[in-house]
Amino acid sequence: MNPPKYPASSVTPRQGNLFRHGRSMSNEGPGTTFKHREGLQAPLKEGREGRSLSNAANVTFGPRGSSLVQGPPPGSFSSDLKTFASSRGGTPRTEQGPFFADYRPASSEKTSEQRQTELRDQINKETKIKIGSENLLDALVSKNAKQTKDQRTRVEAELGSSHRKIIELRHQLEREIEQSRRPKTPPRERLSGLFQSSPLKSPQRVDEGIQSEMPAAEESESPTYVLSEILQTLESEGMQPDYYVDRANSLVDLFKRYPSLKHDLAWPIFGLRVQTMFLSQSRDVVAAGYRVTRHAMADRRSLQTIRRLNTDELVMLSLVKDSKANIEREQALKFVRAFLDVKGGIHEISNPVLRTIVSIAEHHEDRLRNMAILTLLELLIRSPSVVIASGGMASVTETLLDGTYQGSESLALSLLYLFDKPGDRRYLESCHELDAAFTIFTDPIAVHTSEEKLKSSARLITALLNSWPGLFTAANDGFAALRGLLQSLSYPSLLAQDLVLDILFAVLQIKAPSWSSSFLAGRRLTTYGRVANLTTDATVAPTPSALEEDEEGQVCLTEHYTAMLLAVLLQSGLHQALSYIIQEDAETALQRKAALLQGEVLEMTNRLLPYTFSAKFQVVPKLVDPVGLRPADTSLTQIGMVYQIDSVSRTLYRSQTDAKHPSPLTQQPKQQHASSGRGVNSTKPAADIDMDEIKFRAAIVETQILNHVKHLKWDWDLIEELVEGPLKNPKRLSEAINGTKFLKRLLGFYRPFKYRFSDTPSTKPNQRYVRVGVSLMKTLLQNSEGIAYLSESKFLRQLGECLAQLDRTSGLTSNSPLFSTWRTSQTLTGGYFSLLGALSGNPKGLQMIERWHMVNIFYHLVELQDRDDLVELLLGNMDFTLDSHLRVMLSKALTASHKQIRIFSTRLLRKYATLAPISEDGSRSPSSVCEWAIRLLVTQLYDPEVEVSEVAVQILEESCNRKAHLEYVVRCRPQLDHLNEIGAPLLLRFLSTSLGYQYLDRLDYITQEMDDWFSLRNYRYVTLVEASLARAFATLMQGQSKTSSDELLRPQERGSLPPHFYRELTRTQEGCDLLRDSGHFHDFVTSIAESWAEDADPEGLVKLKGCLWAVGNVGSMELGASFLEETDVVRWIVQIAEHSEVATLRGTAFYVLGLISRSLHGMEIVAGYGWDAATDQHGRSIGYCLPRRLDIFFSLKLGPGPDKHGFTSIPQDLAPRPISDDDPIHERVLSFVADMANAVLAKKAANDLNGIKVRQPEAFTSVELYRKVRDVLGSHNFRLPIRRFVLDLFDKNVMRRVVLDEEESENESIRTERPPQARPRLP
């Protein structure tokens, strides 16, 4: 899809209505040129056209609608504004919005991001319709077919329509995404192609104006020439405001295409044009001026130049305007936010401007309030003293207490940043500001507040408990905040109780099992014992040696943190709080939810906590008290809930292990049983294999296959049981083939030319037909009679003929081929590849496929460039376990197809490259399968596309978790120099074996990498780990479930520990010897011992954390534990964990002690310092280490330091200074303005100011007084309406003289001839 070309002219000629009473730029001054700084705004006449400084335009704006912002320029936020202008008759009439491209209305051409968002919304809508239709169709299938025939037909038609729309929308979305990634080339006409003009312009006039003023620009023109040409056009007078807005858009687009151009601006000329736009009477022109200036920012020097244009006064004036000027106000705030994107720009934000932003943040009705609050939060992180000097901390605290702010997580994270280090905690008045998040739950009265506040506080608490500073805050004063939160479960508020339980589920990372919704609805857990996803007792548990070999490298930091949080919650009374809800007489969903949480907590306690902790909390209090001591009814309730908890625990034990800790070891037993058809979960079919003849015949009759030809009347559940059970018995299969027409009709249903299976809509309920077909293929392949029957049937012959219709070399063609794009997406035709995949996993099945020359067709199908869907269906369903032509076909797809197919094919190798080796003899050797997959993956490392190589590296890295696979990868001798950082993790894995060490040593890789890590990358590792944890906790807070797109995320991107060079080095004795000779470990220990008390220097903290991670990774290996015995580094790490003043540094030491405890010697060492490690059922440490005394670990003092009022450390240039004036009238004005900050004196001061304005209006024409009033507004906190009232007192011509630095004498005549103006009113 080609990029949209925006029209150069408007399509609605309405400019006359809007600007009938407006002022053009040609009438704003005496009429001379811009060169002499004239032609600007002149004093307006008295009357209805007179405007104050804060209301300088006639355009009115309507209610909020869609966002008018096209893209995210520097410091920008999205807004939701629409504009409308008044018609001739005075009735408000909706118009198409402002004039520049940044504010294009929804009806005009949209940006790529907007179109992508709309397409995704439409896809979600159609998906919901499709799911609803599938559910309705599933319900209709179980009813009488005759009664529901018409209704089922309509539902299927609607389902097919939704499916087609979804596919079409997805294709559109893919094309849009691909188009947005392409570099955009500028069209020939500079304005007619790039910029959208005002929709209020007549097309003919705009075209004539642009053609006369702006000739067509060739792509070869110099950007400097184009810039000067655009600036020259801005000198034109007498044009409408949209003319200047269009030129401003041209400048913005020019700066975006040539970023270096902003460094060479001639500011005397450019600044004059911008000043002219700032002083325009049109709000849209002023907003365009802010936008152009924002994109012209390059460095701090350019910011200083911009400020010399007196933009501070302009920004203050724009920000205090009313809601009619929302576009101007928004651009002004974005202009200020752009300062944050420039290095050192935060110091160029003046205190008066910042106090104006604070007043917006305190004004609850202002639509820019959220934008102002986020600006204050960013400033709070970068320079807390600046925010405190402007009074912004009170606004942030008030927002926290209010509980209605939607971005509560960002608010909490900003405050937690100050809680981390003692040097930043001094800026907080009490260090208990975050306790307000718990107050709404702990107060028995406040807990009955609005639902919005409760949910906002719940999100805030979740964010707090997912960070170290937040956890230390909640655990302060003997876990008082957490105790209060858990005690709130006893308050009679169902909403609050439910939210507290949700908080506990979220912070403990408990994902509700699939059967939880039914359990909470009141159904018995015994009905879930037969579900397919549960693991039976027949599953073989992996041996300790296998676990040690395969899972040694995985360290989950988020689970280690969860173990500490669980211990804190148990110490705070979690069991008692849950038992209180469980003891209620009436069995409710909340009670069952608490029972589910109790069962999860008991399981986590046993799995994550050391024995010293778990032994104390395994006994559930109050529920196991002696039964005879309580009334009979209460005892029955307790017994019932204990039974529920026990049922939950047993069900979790059967279903949770594989879900939370998937291991490739569990894949092999399933594959071993596949040939016999006895899967680990197919207990019922296995018991029915020996069904007698009478029962078998009766079951065949009950399937209705012999009685009805239509498949909708067949009992498919019974058919599936027969196929997976009795038909695997050769005797029963022979009877079904020779004695009845059961198998003939069943297999005939799948014949392509009968168009029964192939015409069935592709819906969720209809997928059972595919499952039965796959089971039928596998069943027939298990004995010779079934193989003969399948090979002689017409099924495969017709299927081969249909596939040949797509092969250009076969000579067979069809106007409507069976495997057309529409059929494969809308019907079950794609299920034929699943049936072929079932055949490809068996040698006899492969012979059948080759008999009908399907393999030759497959080769040609892979070459199709316009049928990616068909190629993915073919490759994704084939079984490549056997050494056959299919492997050659996959190799061809890996190397000869385009990028998307190569990536898809590479991902298919994952399940083969990660298979567990077995020692049993068999026809298929899993080791040979793995080696074949690894060889192909090594080939993919040299793919010209980096994305393909990155996928191959990730799969090889996962495969290298097994030592045998790792050694084979090393023997393949891959060259990874061309991949740079992408291939670094795989090279680190090579160090874990002697063979890999020798290979890398010959390449001189180890010494160079060691020097690199010691000098630089060891400290970058700190950022990598903290970013990994932040991403993992952010995903958990948002409740995002793992999708197919997350399958290839690196482990460290899911909260696991990234690979470390020194850890991999100490896996071998050669590496330990090299580390000892280098002396790096002793250097790390020395740095830790010398700087363990560091709490201020950011670089020092990063260096200390890097040394801690290096020591921890070395100590986590059994061979590296000897380095710990040679030094007393563990003592220093424990000292940091228990006495450091930096919260995150304590957390780093906590993680490092867990790493050290993974080795046997390390576990013994940390135990000597009062830290216990959790172990598995085999007695091996799992790397989760906790202190025996939690009160010592959480003894961090969060109170202010010696400088209790940290905000006294304010820079001198920000401290308020006394402001006075020699003129008594001016002195009175300054005094009254200062009194406006006092709520008691504000009304009287406003009356006095109005009186002075009436009696002595010339006082408010003084530029000197205006600047002093500005200083007063910048040194005190004023409400936003008061700021607007004060600035409205001054004459409009004052701003012109302030901006242009004109002298007082130039405008004396204006003072004397000025007619009286209407008195402003205090809002």
Side-chain angles (χ1 to χ4, degrees), residues 762-808:
S762 178
T763 61
K764 185 177 180 181
N766 290 343
Q767 293 301 318
R768 59 181 177 178
Y769 303 142
V770 181
R771 293 196 302 269
V772 173
V774 171
S775 300
L776 181 62
M777 297 296 108
K778 293 181 179 179
T779 299
L780 292 177
L781 289 173
Q782 290 184 14
N783 60 74
S784 57
E785 189 170 359
I787 294 173
Y789 181 80
L790 183 60
S791 60
E792 294 173 0
S793 66
K794 299 179 181 179
F795 168 72
L796 291 177
R797 183 178 60 189
Q798 293 182 4
L799 187 57
E801 184 177 345
C802 293
L803 288 172
Q805 295 173 358
L806 301 175
D807 186 1
R808 298 183 178 93

Side-chain angles (χ1 to χ4, degrees), residues 1142-1160:
V1142 182
T1144 54
L1145 188 57
R1146 286 197 183 199
T1148 302
F1150 168 77
Y1151 290 133
V1152 169
L1153 289 173
L1155 284 175
I1156 293 175
S1157 68
R1158 291 179 66 86
S1159 62
L1160 179 61

Side-chain angles (χ1 to χ4, degrees), residues 200-478:
L200 306 180
K201 246 184 196 177
S202 62
Q204 183 177 0
R205 179 175 178 181
V206 177
D207 291 341
E208 291 174 357
I210 293 180
Q211 291 175 3
S212 61
E213 301 292 341
M214 300 288 295
E218 300 293 337
E219 294 182 5
S220 59
E221 286 185 353
S222 169
T224 305
Y225 172 77
V226 176
L227 174 64
S228 61
E229 188 180 25
I230 297 175
L231 292 178
Q232 185 177 1
T233 60
L234 287 175
E235 296 181 1
S236 301
E237 302 178 6
M239 306 301 293
Q240 292 294 336
D242 53 348
Y243 172 87
Y244 303 100
V245 172
D246 286 336
R247 273 58 187 175
N249 289 335
S250 304
L251 285 175
V252 171
D253 188 81
L254 192 64
F255 289 144
K256 288 181 178 179
R257 284 187 293 157
Y258 305 100
S260 60
L261 190 62
K262 63 182 70 174
H263 296 277
D264 302 325
L265 282 177
W267 278 101
I269 301 175
F270 182 81
L272 181 60
R273 303 295 180 267
V274 170
Q275 283 182 323
T276 306
M277 299 180 71
F278 285 147
L279 294 173
S280 173
Q281 297 183 35
S282 172
R283 291 169 179 152
D284 298 301
V285 175
V286 177
Y290 284 124
R291 182 169 177 254
V292 169
T293 311
R294 169 160 53 93
H295 284 84
M297 296 178 182
D299 49 23
R300 187 172 180 180
R301 179 176 298 179
S302 65
L303 297 183
Q304 295 171 351
T305 303
I306 292 173
R307 288 192 63 193
R308 284 195 290 268
L309 301 176
N310 298 302
T311 54
D312 291 350
E313 288 79 2
L314 294 165
V315 169
M316 289 178 58
L317 180 62
S318 296
L319 290 178
V320 301
K321 290 183 178 180
D322 55 19
S323 58
K324 296 179 181 179
N326 270 333
I327 293 179
E328 178 184 342
R329 298 178 68 235
E330 180 184 337
Q331 285 298 313
L333 189 51
K334 289 180 179 180
F335 171 79
V336 178
R337 285 186 52 79
F339 280 56
L340 303 178
D341 298 327
V342 179
K343 184 177 181 180
I346 188 174
H347 303 292
E348 298 299 330
I349 302 178
S350 64
N351 203 39
V353 171
L354 194 53
R355 284 192 180 270
T356 306
I357 296 177
V358 171
S359 66
I360 296 176
E362 294 174 348
H363 195 59
H364 293 269
E365 292 77 17
D366 200 299
R367 68 176 302 274
L368 296 181
R369 178 173 180 258
N370 291 345
M371 196 174 179
I373 291 174
L374 288 177
T375 304
L376 292 178
L377 295 180
E378 292 187 30
L379 289 169
L380 188 62
I381 293 177
R382 300 190 182 189
S383 180
S385 60
V386 173
V387 178
I388 292 175
S390 62
M393 183 58 71
S395 177
V396 172
T397 306
E398 181 185 356
T399 304
L400 181 65
L401 293 172
D402 182 55
T404 58
Y405 180 58
Q406 295 298 323
S408 54
E409 296 90 343
S410 60
L411 179 61
L413 295 177
S414 300
L415 290 176
L416 289 175
Y417 180 81
L418 299 182
F419 274 89
D420 186 25
K421 291 180 283 191
D424 293 332
R425 287 197 289 269
R426 63 191 177 91
Y427 293 111
L428 301 173
E429 187 172 359
S430 63
C431 286
H432 292 284
E433 285 79 1
L434 291 174
D435 292 346
F438 297 89
T439 303
I440 195 170
F441 287 99
T442 57
D443 189 350
I445 299 177
V447 78
H448 298 283
T449 185
S450 65
E451 179 180 355
E452 182 182 0
K453 289 187 177 181
L454 284 173
K455 291 183 177 180
S456 178
S457 297
R459 293 194 301 268
L460 182 58
I461 292 174
T462 304
L464 292 179
L465 297 181
N466 278 327
S467 66
W468 283 112
L471 184 57
F472 278 104
T473 303
N476 198 21
D477 297 332

